[in-house]
Amino acid sequence: MKKAVFPGSFDPVTLGHVDIIERALPLFDEIILGIGVNSDKKYMFSLEERVNFLNETFKQEKKIRVETYTGLTVDFCKKENAGFILRGLRNALDLEFEKTIGQANFEMAGIETVFLIASPGKGHISSTVVRDIKKHGGDYGFMVPAIVKP
Ligand code: ADP
């Protein structure tokens, strides 16, 4: 059984995440959406909201499960018996950032990271921009699934 963990903050889930997750579905038997909880980090949406957004967005999809975790992503993967990490790449900055993490994760645990490149027209979408628009009272609906829309 091929299992992947897609780790992230999902603060909030965006149509960019949805693009990567849906395109990865044929590659795996199960994809676990792992919301990493970092007590040093400030989030805009509560953990309950972020879990609910993901559960609602993918409620029809039997191969997807939503979980939260603390600590190292590789330890969470081992606990879940997942051999792969799924990540998305938007640009060269993402690649540089992801490269070292992917290499470290492979060295630490032999877990491969599978990267999918953002679909055309999706690479500009980011949770950071959504949070910024929200903070200033703008409409961020075009970047997020229906359940997240204001
Ligand atoms: P983190 O807080 O770990 O950066 P995010 O929730 O922001 O978590 O992102 C999780 C993953 O989703 C990362 O691999 C990121 O590159 C990817 N991702 C985010 N937005 C997009 C997008 N628009 N297209 C493709 N991948 C994306």
Side-chain angles (χ1 to χ4, degrees), residues 1-2 19 26 29 35 88 90 120 128 142:
M1 171 135 162
K2 279 198 168 61
D19 168 47
D29 299 302
I35 306 182
R90 283 163 289 195
T128 308
F142 66 99

Side-chain angles (χ1 to χ4, degrees), residues 17-33:
H17 298 128
V18 173
D19 168 47
I20 298 296
I21 294 162
E22 285 180 342
R23 287 166 50 219
L25 278 171
L27 305 178
F28 300 104
D29 299 302
E30 185 176 39
I31 298 177
I32 300 157
L33 307 180

Side-chain angles (χ1 to χ4, degrees), residues 6-12 14-17 19-20 41 86-90 94 97-98 115-119 122-128 131:
F6 187 21
S9 311
F10 301 106
D11 187 29
T14 67
L15 295 177
H17 298 128
D19 168 47
I20 298 296
K41 221 165 149 178
L86 174 66
R87 296 287 281 182
L89 295 177
R90 283 163 289 195
D94 272 356
F97 177 74
E98 296 289 342
F115 297 103
L116 293 185
I117 294 174
S119 291
K122 294 279 185 342
H124 66 295
I125 299 175
S126 88
S127 297
T128 308
R131 292 196 298 275

